[in-house]
Amino acid sequence: CRFRLSGREGAQMLNPSLNTLADQFVAYKKQNGSVYQTGAYYLEKYIQFATEANPGITVPDRKSVEAFLEKYEDAPGSLYNAAAFLREFSRYLIARGYLDAYLIPTGRNRLPTPAPPYFFTEEEISAFFRECDNVRDDPHYKGRHLVLPAMFRLLYCCGLRCKEVRILARKDVHLDKGYFDVLQSKGPKSRRIYISGDLIGYLDDYDRHISCLFPERRMFFPNRADKPYSAAMLEKNFLRFWYSAFPEKKDSGVSIRAYDFRHHFVYANMNRWLRDGKDVNAMLPYLMRYMGHTDVKNTLYYFHLVPDIYGEITARSKYSERLIPEVDDNEGN
């Protein structure tokens, strides 16, 4: 038994639209364990831009891609992300046989210079969480008064990436065993995070209260639709609490982000080890695994940023200077 497609249906199967191809690509990424929320956002923006200029476009072409990227020339981070996701989309299309898809050359957009980390004082941490805990219940944002203080405490206490906290699934949190699992975080990597007794108690209390509002929730930190908070929403609320605690710092020119809790976690641990007389080099591999770094160089990055650490190491090195003989200038290298 044979069937025949109409001309329009056959054309759609043989020549799917750019939007259809993008939907297939996002579905492919999600089937492979990626949340792909940010990537889908940039692809949607590109497709809207490209099809408005050329309704008949079927694959990314050089003209539309370069014109789209020009929109982000004044936002280096967004420019890099947009280029990276479009490059990934074109690689996928080329692998499927769409050889006309324009592939952005490697190195076309380099990583933006990262903002310097901000390291908090104990007074700043206390003031920030006082503001968190004062957030009021709002019927338009179901559960926000419970979720936000808990999310930011987990960021601060465990040094997680913001995305790792935002997309944490309820099924991956095992408070009775004292850990939670971070799955498919940065690349195809996962790790288990063990937490302190105090944090277990806090999160257990949070879980009981939020479960009254979302008894069947999927996310450990749900928004009102039981989906992850967006990156923009997390950042917006972080700055809301920070400037509420320190209004005088709003126009100081100092860059600060929720991600700085991750930087602070490394800084605080390294300083505590030095104060306790522990061998920092021996402890670094543990910190590296806990943070989800693939290379110890990513953890060592903090040594030259933190004056307290550098000063303490320099002071300790003086004790061994007399053990190392000086080299005469006339001796060979």
Side-chain angles (χ1 to χ4, degrees):
C1 173
R2 291 188 176 185
F3 63 92
R4 180 175 295 177
L5 295 173
S6 67
R8 183 176 180 182
E9 289 172 332
Q12 286 179 341
M13 288 188 68
L14 293 173
N15 300 296
S17 68
L18 182 61
N19 193 63
T20 298
L21 290 172
D23 287 343
Q24 292 171 354
F25 171 62
V26 172
Y28 163 76
K29 296 295 291 185
K30 290 183 176 180
Q31 286 169 3
N32 283 277
S34 176
V35 176
Y36 220 69
Q37 186 176 18
T38 305
Y41 167 82
Y42 281 106
L43 287 180
E44 182 182 357
K45 290 292 184 184
Y46 164 71
I47 290 168
Q48 181 180 357
F49 174 85
T51 53
E52 284 179 359
N54 179 11
I57 188 172
T58 56
V59 295
D61 61 13
R62 181 170 183 170
K63 181 179 179 181
S64 66
V65 167
E66 292 189 344
F68 177 70
L69 294 181
E70 284 180 6
K71 294 161 51 71
Y72 298 101
E73 287 293 343
D74 295 328
S78 297
L79 175 60
Y80 179 83
N81 284 332
F85 290 121
L86 283 173
R87 185 184 296 115
E88 191 176 25
F89 180 41
S90 288
R91 283 200 184 108
Y92 164 84
L93 293 177
I94 291 170
R96 285 188 55 185
Y98 296 93
L99 303 182
D100 291 334
Y102 174 63
L103 185 63
I104 301 169
T106 303
R108 157 68 171 79
N109 300 101
R110 299 187 181 278
L111 276 169
T113 302
Y118 187 93
F119 300 110
F120 303 90
T121 65
E122 291 185 10
E123 291 76 16
E124 287 174 337
I125 291 294
S126 297
F128 175 85
F129 282 109
R130 278 198 298 273
E131 293 299 324
C132 276
D133 294 337
N134 285 334
V135 64
R136 296 183 178 180
D137 185 6
D138 185 331
H140 299 291
Y141 298 97
K142 182 180 176 182
R144 184 180 65 172
H145 63 299
L146 300 173
V147 169
L148 291 178
M151 288 179 77
F152 287 124
R153 276 184 169 84
L154 195 59
L155 277 174
Y156 169 68
C157 292
C158 296
L160 301 178
R161 299 178 179 95
C162 294
K163 178 183 176 181
E164 293 170 346
V165 172
R166 291 190 299 105
I167 68 171
L168 185 63
R170 186 183 188 184
K171 66 181 178 59
D172 296 325
V173 179
H174 307 277
L175 297 177
D176 56 329
K177 299 177 181 176
Y179 67 80
F180 59 90
D181 291 323
V182 175
L183 304 180
Q184 299 290 323
S185 176
K186 195 172 182 181
K189 299 183 295 293
S190 304
R191 66 192 192 278
R192 179 159 291 177
I193 302 293
Y194 286 90
I195 54 180
S196 69
D198 288 343
L199 185 56
I200 291 171
Y202 177 88
L203 292 178
D204 192 55
D205 186 60
Y206 156 79
D207 189 50
R208 286 197 303 272
H209 283 88
I210 198 68
S211 294
C212 295
L213 299 178
F214 297 91
E216 303 296 329
R217 77 187 196 279
R218 296 181 306 105
M219 308 309 301
F220 193 68
F221 298 117
N223 68 6
R224 57 187 173 184
D226 191 20
K227 293 182 179 179
Y229 271 72
S230 69
M233 185 59 70
L234 182 72
E235 200 64 33
K236 178 180 178 181
N237 281 288
F238 170 81
L239 292 175
R240 177 163 71 102
F241 296 139
W242 177 256
Y243 290 127
S244 180
F246 305 102
E248 71 280 4
K249 297 187 179 186
K250 194 162 190 176
D251 299 315
S252 65
V254 176
S255 173
I256 187 166
R257 306 153 298 162
Y259 196 87
D260 285 313
F261 277 142
R262 180 168 167 85
H263 295 314
H264 186 86
F265 180 82
V266 181
Y267 157 80
N269 274 283
M270 286 183 173
N271 272 312
R272 186 175 70 253
W273 293 337
L274 286 168
R275 287 195 305 268
D276 295 345
K278 293 184 178 179
D279 184 346
V280 176
N281 287 325
M283 299 298 293
L284 278 178
Y286 296 100
L287 182 60
M288 180 189 78
R289 294 295 299 272
Y290 195 89
M291 299 285 290
H293 289 156
T294 55
D295 194 315
V296 74
K297 289 187 295 185
N298 296 323
T299 315
L300 288 170
Y301 160 78
Y302 291 91
F303 270 100
H304 75 279
L305 293 174
V306 185
D308 295 13
I309 293 174
Y310 183 78
E312 182 68 21
I313 291 174
T314 301
R316 291 188 178 205
S317 68
K318 291 179 180 179
Y319 294 107
S320 58
E321 283 181 356
R322 64 179 180 271
L323 301 177
I324 304 174
E326 294 186 9
V327 177
D328 190 281
D329 291 337
N330 296 321
E331 295 184 12
N333 292 331

